[in-house]
Amino acid sequence: MIRTDSKWMISALLFGVVSLPISTLLSLEILNLGGNTIDVDYAISLSNAVLIPASLFWGYASDRFDIRSIILIGFGVSSVSLYLMALACSIILLIILYALFTFFSVSYSTPMNLLVIETTEKSRWAESFSKLSMLTSIGNLVGLILSTILVIFIHIYEIYIVLSIFSIAAFISAYLFTPRVFMGIERVSIVHHKESFFTRLKMHPLFFVHIPPNLHNFKMFKLSRLLKKPINYLPLLYLAIFIFYISSGLFNTLYPVSLYTKGLDKSIVLGIITEGMIAEILTFHLIGKYLEKKDERETSFRALLLRGSSYIAMGISTILSASFTEILGMLFYPLAAGVAFSAYYSASNTLIFKAIGGRNQGRSLGVYSTLVGVALFLGSFASGFISTRFGFITNFAIAGILLFISAFIFKILEEG
């Protein structure tokens, strides 16, 4: 195992200043340009759709190329696309550039997760991953505070230029501190041991593609396997995570829009999001040590119940007065997006890290990120239709109910 210091995480902090505020600013800018809820939904849906091929692409690339170069390419192109967004004068061009930004901005995620695995002992994965997440969240908080202040004095498109400076700083930091770590052939050594390989295949309920000339040699997926322990552990784990991100797509896509259309000022909308980030940072700071002594499945279960209840409460607030919407948002958004998300995110990702072990880690994390992208796309795509047809309260209530279902799955999980 290669041991390095954690200076390379500074680039995640710097890029975090850009990555979170940009989606909220985009939503508000689309409304400023004369767009509506559906236009915002299209923008976020396209961005989430781009996550699908992007996650696969960067995941496979991380197993084959120098991950330091991948991080640099991602930060570099993201900086350029962010600057171009400041020059965009139409909604369509803005949406396209945001999709381009999304494709390259996620390139650092899998490589940095791999750096955590490669540079940290397994017993400290939760602590190191929480540290990386905390630094990213600190960057998110700085970006939100900065955007909240700047939106009072300058136009949103001018804020893009300010944020691009931090993106360039992330590129420079990555260039200076990110170690060169190449994922070697040992990651796929399992396939060279046929008995072990086929035994593992039999333990997983997967679809098998039958290739000529052995058309008769294949196994069919059986839903009944989801009920058989312990072979149902991985599929149920991924199912629970998939449901979680569908819910996140439903809620996060239009929550800032729901506040803005209620009559709240742009600075207040950004302020509520900022409050959530403060809670997220504090939770990330504490959750690493907590998870070393607690069961990740139970932590996920409790976090999902809290997040689901908060979603429903914020949904109810959308049919109340603007002042109640603001108060309930300031109360429940930090619980949902801060405390609950940080606890769930650290716990579930630790479970994923343990599940993938040392087998094609870049590819496995890429596939996992693709699963997340598909779920976010489905949630964000449905969000606009549900909110327009049935109101924000219905959209957020469905998101909350989905989290309760995900919580139930984590409750019944038994590790094999």
Side-chain angles (χ1 to χ4, degrees):
M1 177 178 293
I2 300 173
R3 294 185 179 277
T4 66
D5 55 37
S6 57
K7 287 183 179 179
W8 57 269
M9 293 186 182
I10 295 175
S11 59
L13 185 154
L14 292 171
F15 196 73
V17 176
V18 181
S19 58
L20 185 65
I22 191 67
S23 60
T24 302
L25 292 171
L26 174 79
S27 300
L28 298 177
E29 180 67 359
I30 289 175
L31 296 177
N32 286 340
L33 291 174
N36 53 33
T37 300
I38 297 298
D39 293 320
V40 174
D41 183 65
Y42 285 156
I44 305 300
S45 295
L46 178 60
S47 173
N48 289 332
V50 166
L51 282 176
I52 300 170
S55 299
L56 277 177
F57 177 82
W58 297 118
Y60 276 85
S62 297
D63 275 334
R64 289 163 173 76
F65 304 104
D66 175 27
I67 58 179
R68 179 175 180 271
S69 299
I70 295 174
I71 293 173
L72 291 175
I73 291 172
F75 287 160
V77 179
S78 295
S79 301
V80 174
S81 59
L82 186 60
Y83 179 79
L84 292 177
M85 286 177 65
L87 305 178
C89 55
S90 70
I91 294 176
I92 294 178
L93 181 58
L94 190 63
I95 291 175
I96 293 174
L97 288 172
Y98 180 60
L100 177 66
F101 172 85
T102 299
F103 184 89
F104 284 93
S105 67
V106 299
S107 65
Y108 81 98
S109 179
T110 294
M112 286 196 173
N113 285 332
L114 291 176
L115 280 175
V116 169
I117 296 174
E118 288 296 308
T119 62
T120 309
E121 296 179 359
K122 185 175 181 179
S123 61
R124 298 181 57 209
W125 279 358
E127 179 183 353
S128 296
F129 182 78
S130 296
K131 180 179 180 180
L132 176 61
S133 300
M134 183 188 68
L135 290 175
T136 302
S137 297
I138 291 174
N140 293 158
L141 176 61
V142 172
L144 285 170
I145 293 176
L146 184 63
S147 300
T148 302
I149 296 174
L150 291 178
V151 78
I152 300 174
F153 303 103
I154 63 178
H155 297 292
I156 290 178
Y157 66 84
E158 294 174 315
I159 300 178
Y160 294 152
I161 298 177
V162 177
L163 294 179
S164 67
I165 297 174
F166 287 91
S167 184
I168 295 172
F171 175 87
I172 296 173
S173 175
Y175 179 81
L176 294 175
F177 301 122
T178 302
R180 293 184 180 275
V181 180
F182 188 86
M183 300 303 154
I185 192 66
E186 71 274 6
R187 298 299 176 197
V188 295
S189 60
I190 185 174
V191 300
H192 299 150
H193 304 279
K194 293 183 179 179
E195 293 181 1
S196 175
F197 178 64
F198 285 110
T199 298
R200 287 176 180 269
L201 284 181
K202 292 176 183 179
M203 291 297 291
H204 290 73
L206 303 174
F207 284 99
F208 286 82
V209 179
H210 45 284
I211 304 174
N214 298 319
L215 295 178
H216 62 283
N217 186 19
F218 67 93
K219 292 181 180 292
M220 292 297 294
F221 173 79
K222 295 181 179 180
L223 291 176
S224 61
R225 291 192 179 187
L226 292 176
L227 303 176
K228 295 181 180 179
K229 301 177 181 180
I231 64 173
N232 65 350
Y233 174 76
L234 277 178
L236 284 180
L237 175 61
Y238 277 92
L239 177 61
I241 293 173
F242 187 75
I243 294 173
F244 170 85
Y245 282 105
I246 289 179
S247 171
S248 295
L250 285 171
F251 180 83
N252 292 331
T253 298
L254 294 178
Y255 181 63
V257 174
S258 72
L259 297 176
Y260 190 65
T261 56
K262 195 69 179 179
L264 301 184
D265 187 76
K266 288 181 289 186
S267 60
I268 294 178
V269 174
L270 287 167
I272 291 176
I273 306 299
T274 301
E275 188 183 5
M277 286 309 307
I278 294 175
E280 181 177 303
I281 291 170
L282 293 175
T283 307
F284 271 135
H285 178 68
L286 301 172
I287 197 64
K289 292 290 186 181
Y290 177 82
L291 286 176
E292 290 180 358
K293 303 176 182 178
K294 299 293 183 180
D295 189 311
E296 292 91 355
R297 291 164 291 177
E298 181 65 23
T299 300
S300 298
F301 169 75
R302 295 180 179 181
L304 289 169
L305 291 182
L306 175 61
R307 188 173 171 93
S309 301
S310 299
Y311 275 8
I312 293 175
M314 285 184 283
I316 294 174
S317 74
T318 61
I319 62 174
L320 304 176
S321 65
S323 58
F324 273 106
T325 301
E326 179 180 348
I327 293 172
L328 292 180
M330 294 179 66
L331 175 63
F332 287 102
Y333 187 79
L335 292 177
V339 177
F341 175 76
S342 300
Y344 168 82
Y345 190 63
S346 296
S348 63
N349 275 274
T350 300
L351 290 173
I352 291 295
F353 286 168
K354 290 179 178 179
I356 65 174
R359 307 182 302 275
N360 278 340
Q361 291 173 327
R363 182 183 303 177
S364 299
L365 289 174
V367 172
Y368 166 67
S369 298
T370 301
L371 181 75
V372 172
V374 172
L376 286 173
F377 169 73
L378 292 175
S380 60
F381 188 76
S383 180
F385 171 78
I386 296 173
S387 296
T388 303
R389 190 74 178 270
F390 304 104
F392 292 117
I393 183 174
T394 303
N395 184 41
F396 297 163
I398 293 174
I401 293 172
L402 287 176
L403 290 179
F404 293 155
I405 295 174
S406 181
F408 172 76
I409 295 175
F410 271 101
K411 190 68 174 178
I412 65 174
L413 272 180
E414 287 190 16
E415 188 172 2

